[in-house]
């Protein structure tokens, strides 16, 4: 049974719950996403955006961890150029992630099933289960 336009398990409209799943302030998005996934079995929009949000944040953590290792190794080796490139990549990834989060928040609030490349299909598959 699908609940496309109704309330989420949090008592919020589906589009508001889906938007909050991406909110990057004080881990609100991660907490809201987990609550939606665990409690809301009927609202496809909120579940899809909750899964996509968690996958996006997981990828961000892995990328930042790898970049941190590269920058740390460059700093330990006294390689200014590599440390500068790594720091620049850090900044580019941060801007890209922020852009993706804002775009996903807007699309979720509009009630759209906006899929990010690769993780969007995975989130869609998991949200149906």
């Amino acid at each position: 049974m699908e609940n496309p336009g109704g309330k989420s398990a949090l008592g919020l409209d589906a589009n508001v719950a889906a938007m909050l799943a991406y909110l990057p302030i004080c881990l609100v998005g991660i907490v809201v996403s987990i609550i939606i996934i665990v409690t809301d079995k009927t609202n496809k929009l909120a579940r899809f955006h909750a899964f996509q949000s968690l996958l996006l944040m997981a990828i961000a953590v892995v990328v930042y961890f790898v970049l941190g290792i590269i920058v740390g190794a460059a700093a330990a080796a006294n390689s200014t150029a590599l440390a500068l490139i790594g720091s620049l990549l850090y900044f580019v990834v941060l801007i890209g992630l922020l852009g993706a989060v804002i775009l996903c928040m807007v699309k979720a609030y509009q009630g759209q099933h906006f899929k990010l490349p690769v993780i969007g299909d995975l989130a869609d598959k998991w949200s149906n289960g």
Side-chain angles (χ1 to χ4, degrees), residues 18-48:
M19 180 192 69
L20 288 177
Y22 293 102
L23 193 64
I25 300 171
C26 297
L27 301 176
V28 169
I30 293 172
V31 172
V32 169
S33 293
I34 292 170
I35 291 171
I36 289 171
I37 290 169
V38 170
T39 62
D40 199 347
K41 302 298 182 194
T42 61
N43 198 313
K44 172 103 171 83
L45 179 72
R47 285 181 58 82
F48 167 75

Side-chain angles (χ1 to χ4, degrees), residues 9-104:
L10 297 169
L12 300 169
D13 289 336
N15 63 334
V16 174
M19 180 192 69
L20 288 177
Y22 293 102
L23 193 64
I25 300 171
C26 297
L27 301 176
V28 169
I30 293 172
V31 172
V32 169
S33 293
I34 292 170
I35 291 171
I36 289 171
I37 290 169
V38 170
T39 62
D40 199 347
K41 302 298 182 194
T42 61
N43 198 313
K44 172 103 171 83
L45 179 72
R47 285 181 58 82
F48 167 75
H49 285 290
F51 274 113
Q52 185 165 268
S53 170
L54 286 178
L55 288 169
L56 182 62
M57 290 305 127
I59 289 171
V61 167
V62 169
V63 168
Y64 273 113
F65 183 73
V66 169
L67 285 175
I69 290 173
I70 291 170
V71 170
N78 284 333
S79 174
T80 307
L82 190 57
L84 183 62
I85 290 170
S87 298
L88 182 62
L89 277 174
Y90 237 66
F91 180 71
V92 168
V93 169
L94 176 66
I95 296 300
L97 178 64
L98 184 61
V101 166
I102 290 171
L103 177 65
C104 287

